[in-house]
């Protein structure tokens, strides 16, 4: 069984994003970039499927600038077998990313796509669902447990009131939630080994996919800031302030 | 322009995310219909018919719609879109699960988690864990939108729209519902509650979480929330998680106990009207957004708070 794992290079989750003064976007110059945390979880899950003997090959793919090769090397160091970069300097919207991934699925014919539920920059939480729709594959989003047996996958999902379990026929798209697993750190020997693994680079244009943006960014602004309030000395103080000053009790 | 709002409900009752999403929809158009899809949910449709400003309620029922299968929701909504220019869904887990499918099928962008409507094609949405607000203009003929309900006031009751039953789509072939374990609670819904009491990693165990956070919440008639660390550690169920990748809340009062205030947590609660933090570390980042901070060990502070509330008649 072959597993395809789309991974995205994003601002590191520890870094607070700053809006550019000209309101054209977020300042990413000299900012630490990393693999999107949900994509790390997806890679980990795919590698575990391989370690269990369920998957035979794990292919990581990213759509982005040349620097996204670093992200793919991280995936390879975690245990992916090979990687594909679809290179572009454009910022693609989820629908465009899903269309590019569909084209890659056509070439690679995976049995399963495991990806992050959400990228922590765009925060769209949309790409996996769109990919499943375009492929007419079943989807199981926000997975906190994944069990593959034969031509089916059983997926436990984090839903509004608790947990839901679905069984989907393969091939399928699964998106990873936080509690699916705890991703490993790549060891130094594995980082070295990853340098020798295959990383193919393809130009976005060569795929012939329509990735024209549908949304125009008018501006990006800073949200109104909260300021620190006061410290209270005792719980009784707190209650009296909440009652009389804030009026929320 | 006609707009379809997809109701949030649990087959038994309508959630106020729906009324809030209707408010967003009314900013786009005066012709707003509500779709109630589920099973055994006629009462929900009747409740939706009472929302002021709603033109008509569509009711579709089947087992798969009741289970909330994304494939079924898409198959139901996409043909309806022949009659609508926009579809708005509350950005719950359920909404986030199926709405992108509608967008992909219609070959349009999804405009995710809007917090404001500027005009018929221009919307504001948070990105980067709410550290930036993006104003986007859509060039698509049909708009597929998810709505951050906490950013809109609930439309009032007072309407009397007609409820029209429509056919449910065929069962999806490749997705099968196995089971569902929902947390039952008599407490208010986390995303709509007036008061939220949240506990963090400091609780140290599920027993402690239940002993400290829950009685305080019950005294205040509050919903219970948690940080990711508390959920990961198994102190609280997953649907309690507040934050960038959990639930977004904006209550009148948010009380954070033993929570440090990571960016991802703040993303889910910083629009609360009043924030209270109880933390033993005076430098915890949560104090930078708290209106009232109590630097104390929660083990002493929470019992004191319980008695102070009792003394104040709570
Ligand atoms: C420098 C820069 C600036 C940007 N500025 C903006 C902006 O101002 N406004 C805006 O709307 N967008 C902007 N984008 C694009 C935006 O960050 C997202 O790429 C886009 O909106 C996709 O949404 P998402 O990542 O939130 O998707 P989600 O649906 O949240 O992503 C879910 C999953 O899809 C997969 N995935 C997503 N993208 C890729 C990819 N490229 N390669 C491989 N897998 C992927 C991953 O598995 C990910 O976990 C910018 C991007 C860059 C690089
Ligand atoms: C991709 C991604 C998504 C995430 N999404 C979310 C999200 O949606 N929501 C979320 O909450 N987090 C999220 N996180 C995690 C986030 O980064 C933090 O790790 C998490 O919020 C920390 O939880 P905490 O504040 O409970 O724990 P800690 O940061 O460990 O803080 C515990 C606090 O308790 C205090 N304390 C300890 N003992 C006591 C005592 N006896 N009395 C009083 N105070 C005490 C300490 O001083 C400390 O400040 C995400 C992280 C990633 C990478």
């Amino acid at each position: 069984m072959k597993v395809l794992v789309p991974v995205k290079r994003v601002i590191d989750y520890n870094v607070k994003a700053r809006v550019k003064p000209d309101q054209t976007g977020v300042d990413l110059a000299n900012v630490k970039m990393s693999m999107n945390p949900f994509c790390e979880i997806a890679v980990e899950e795919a590698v575990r499927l391989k370690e269990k003997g369920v998957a035979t090959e794990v292919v990581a793919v990213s759509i982005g600038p040349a620097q996204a090769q670093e992200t793919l090397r991280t995936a390879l160091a975690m245990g992916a077998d090979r990687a594909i970069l679809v290179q572009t300097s454009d910022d693609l919207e989820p629908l465009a990313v899903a269309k590019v991934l569909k084209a890659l699925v056509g070439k690679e014919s995976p049995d399963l796509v495991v990806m992050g539920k959400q990228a922590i920059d765009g925060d769209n939480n949309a790409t996996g669902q769109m990919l499943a729709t375009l492929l007419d594959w079943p989807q199981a989003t926000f997975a906190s447990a994944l069990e593959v047996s034969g031509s089916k996958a059983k997926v436990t999902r984090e839903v509004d009131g608790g947990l839901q379990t679905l069984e989907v026929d393969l091939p399928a798209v699964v998106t990873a939630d936080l509690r699916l697993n705890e991703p490993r750190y790549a060891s130094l020997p594995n980082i070295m080994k990853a340098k020798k693994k295959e990383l193919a680079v393809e130009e976005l244009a060569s795929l012939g996919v329509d990735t024209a943006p549908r949304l125009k960014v008018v501006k990006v602004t800073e949200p109104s800031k909260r300021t620190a309030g006061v410290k209270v000395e005792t719980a009784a103080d707190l209650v009296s302030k909440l009652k009389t000053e804030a009026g929320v009790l | 322009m006609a707009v379809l709002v997809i109701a949030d409900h649990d087959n038994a009752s309508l959630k106020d995310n729906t009324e809030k999403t209707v408010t967003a929809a009314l900013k786009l158009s005066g012709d707003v219909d509500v779709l109630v899809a589920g099973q055994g949910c006629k009462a929900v449709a009747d409740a939706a018919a009472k929302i002021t400003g709603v033109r008509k309620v569509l009711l579709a029922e089947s087992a798969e719609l009741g289970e909330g299968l994304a494939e079924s929701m898409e198959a139901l909504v996409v043909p309806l879109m022949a009659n609508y220019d926009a579809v708005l869904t509350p950005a719950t887990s359920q909404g986030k699960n199926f709405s992108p499918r509608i967008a992909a099928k219609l070959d349009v962008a999804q405009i995710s988690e809007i917090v404001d409507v500027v005009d018929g094609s221009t919307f504001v949405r948070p990105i980067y864990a709410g550290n930036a607000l993006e104003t986007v203009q859509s060039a698509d003929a049909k708009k597929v939108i998810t709505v951050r309900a906490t950013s809109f006031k609930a439309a009032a009751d007072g309407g009397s729209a007609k409820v029209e039953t429509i056919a449910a789509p065929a069962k999806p072939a490749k997705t099968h519902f196995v089971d569902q374990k929902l947390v039952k609670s008599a407490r208010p819904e986390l995303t709509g509650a007036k008061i939220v009491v949240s506990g963090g990693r400091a609780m140290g165990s599920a027993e402690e979480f239940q002993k400290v956070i829950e009685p305080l919440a019950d005294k205040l008639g509050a919903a219970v929330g948690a940080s990711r660390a508390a959920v990961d550690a198994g102190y609280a169920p997953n649907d309690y998680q507040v934050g960038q990748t959990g639930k977004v809340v904006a209550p009148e009062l948010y009380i954070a106990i033993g929570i440090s205030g990571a960016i991802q947590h703040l993303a889910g609660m910083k629009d609360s009207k009043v924030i209270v933090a109880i933390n033993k570390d005076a430098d915890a980042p949560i104090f930078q957004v708290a209106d009232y901070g109590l630097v104390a060990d929660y083990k002493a502070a929470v019992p004191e708070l319980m008695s102070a509330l009792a003394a104040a008649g709570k």
Side-chain angles (χ1 to χ4, degrees):
Chain A
M1 187 181 90
K2 188 188 213 176
V3 185
L4 191 74
V5 189
V7 297
K8 187 178 182 194
R9 177 177 181 266
V10 299
I11 189 167
D12 187 86
Y13 83 95
N14 272 312
V15 178
K16 186 164 185 277
R18 303 223 175 269
V19 172
K20 288 188 200 162
D22 66 1
Q23 302 197 334
T24 56
V26 162
D27 193 359
L28 294 177
N30 304 316
V31 164
K32 185 177 176 207
M33 304 291 280
S34 299
M35 188 189 298
N36 179 41
F38 289 97
C39 301
E40 274 185 338
I41 297 171
V43 173
E44 176 66 34
E45 198 63 19
V47 170
R48 287 187 192 184
L49 284 175
K50 192 174 172 201
E51 288 167 348
K52 279 190 231 156
V54 175
T56 46
E57 191 185 24
V58 175
V59 182
V61 26
S62 193
I63 304 147
Q67 295 92 315
Q69 290 192 31
E70 292 163 23
T71 315
L72 288 169
R73 290 284 172 211
T74 306
L76 293 170
M78 288 174 73
D81 297 293
R82 65 191 168 84
I84 304 168
L85 171 64
V86 178
Q87 194 164 317
T88 172
S89 53
D90 297 344
D91 306 334
L92 302 190
E93 292 168 3
L95 182 63
V97 173
K99 287 181 178 177
V100 173
L101 292 174
K102 183 187 176 197
L104 287 174
V105 165
K107 289 186 173 188
E108 291 284 335
S109 312
D111 304 285
L112 180 66
V113 175
V114 187
M115 55 202 285
K117 80 159 179 181
Q118 174 176 352
I120 61 163
D121 51 359
D123 278 340
N124 276 293
N125 193 331
T127 309
Q129 297 87 314
M130 289 181 160
L131 177 62
T133 309
L134 296 178
L135 289 168
D136 194 24
W137 287 8
Q139 78 178 38
T141 54
F142 325 149
S144 66
L146 167 65
E147 216 180 295
V148 177
S149 54
S151 60
K152 290 188 187 303
K154 203 166 159 185
V155 182
T156 306
R157 311 179 47 238
E158 296 201 354
V159 295
D160 293 316
L163 297 171
Q164 180 186 65
T165 305
L166 295 180
E167 192 174 68
V168 292
D169 298 348
L170 299 181
V173 176
V174 172
T175 76
D177 214 319
L178 292 168
R179 282 161 283 275
L180 184 57
N181 60 51
E182 245 180 84
R184 70 194 67 190
Y185 289 102
S187 67
L188 196 56
N190 285 338
I191 292 172
M192 300 311 288
K193 258 198 261 168
K195 293 193 172 148
K196 297 200 191 75
K197 289 186 181 173
E198 178 190 330
L199 194 167
V201 179
E202 226 171 300
E203 283 302 321
L204 175 63
S206 72
L207 286 172
V209 175
D210 168 24
T211 57
R214 306 301 184 79
L215 301 178
K216 187 177 124 201
V217 178
V218 179
K219 62 178 178 184
V220 175
T221 55
E222 220 167 314
S224 57
K225 276 212 173 58
R226 275 193 100 95
T227 45
V230 297
K231 293 263 166 64
V232 293
E233 292 304 321
T234 65
D237 264 6
L238 178 60
V239 170
S240 90
K241 285 222 157 62
L242 289 176
K243 248 190 127 146
T244 53
E245 202 175 276
V248 288
L249 281 185
Chain B
M1 177 174 198
V3 179
L4 183 65
V5 167
I6 302 182
D8 177 26
H9 64 91
D10 57 7
N11 292 314
S13 59
L14 187 72
K15 305 282 173 74
D16 76 344
N17 286 331
T18 311
E19 284 94 331
K20 291 171 180 172
T21 303
V22 166
T23 299
L26 288 167
K27 289 191 167 194
L28 286 171
S29 163
D31 295 330
V32 174
D33 294 349
V34 174
L35 170 65
V36 174
Q39 192 180 33
C41 52
K42 176 71 171 60
V44 176
D46 292 339
K50 298 206 180 79
I51 305 173
T52 305
V54 171
R55 187 176 65 169
K56 176 168 79 179
V57 174
L58 303 175
L59 171 64
E61 296 187 276
S62 74
E64 297 75 43
L65 291 172
E67 290 152 359
L69 295 192
E71 287 86 347
S72 300
M73 289 299 294
E74 172 224 311
L76 174 67
V77 176
V78 169
L80 294 177
M81 290 307 291
N83 309 324
Y84 297 97
D85 306 290
V87 54
L88 272 65
T89 306
T92 58
S93 310
Q94 163 69 347
K96 290 175 189 176
N97 190 33
F98 67 73
S99 178
R101 296 187 61 93
I102 299 169
K105 243 331 189 295
L106 297 173
D107 193 32
V108 302
Q110 170 173 283
I111 308 157
S112 313
E113 290 216 54
I114 63 161
V115 294
D116 199 8
V117 175
V118 179
D119 61 40
S121 58
T122 315
F123 307 91
V124 182
R125 56 178 299 263
I127 51 174
Y128 292 90
N131 285 306
L133 289 173
E134 178 184 63
T135 305
V136 290
Q137 196 166 35
S138 163
D140 289 317
K142 300 210 187 261
K143 319 272 186 273
V144 176
I145 297 169
T146 61
V147 177
R148 181 170 286 187
T150 53
S151 298
F152 298 89
K153 282 209 166 61
D157 266 3
S160 56
K162 262 215 297 289
V163 178
E164 185 185 308
T165 303
I166 58 169
K171 194 171 156 45
K174 296 179 280 191
T175 306
H176 320 279
F177 176 84
V178 179
D179 62 23
Q180 191 142 281
K181 288 193 198 79
L182 300 185
V183 182
K184 289 227 163 49
S185 165
R187 296 195 187 96
E189 192 84 15
L190 185 52
T191 50
K194 289 209 159 50
I195 304 180
V196 174
V197 179
S198 285
R201 196 196 313 264
M203 296 304 120
S205 70
E207 296 71 45
E208 185 74 357
F209 193 95
Q210 280 154 21
K211 209 177 84 193
V212 174
I213 302 299
E214 299 190 354
L216 178 57
D218 292 341
K219 196 168 208 72
L220 291 165
V224 177
S227 70
R228 173 191 171 184
V231 175
D232 281 3
Y235 308 163
N238 61 277
D239 73 317
Y240 282 22
Q241 182 179 314
V242 170
Q244 179 185 14
T245 58
K247 291 193 169 137
V248 175
V249 301
E252 300 271 297
L253 174 61
Y254 186 89
I255 305 182
I257 303 176
I259 291 178
S260 61
I263 309 173
Q264 293 86 6
H265 189 80
L266 300 186
M269 44 64 82
K270 69 178 166 52
D271 293 329
S272 305
K273 188 167 159 239
V274 173
I275 296 174
V276 168
I278 301 177
N279 195 305
K280 68 176 183 190
D281 173 9
D283 296 325
I286 189 84
F287 287 124
Q288 291 164 20
V289 300
D291 300 285
Y292 301 103
L294 180 57
V295 182
D297 189 322
Y298 79 81
K299 289 193 172 112
V302 173
E304 280 164 28
L305 186 54
M306 294 285 280
S307 357
L309 284 168
K314 281 270 162 187

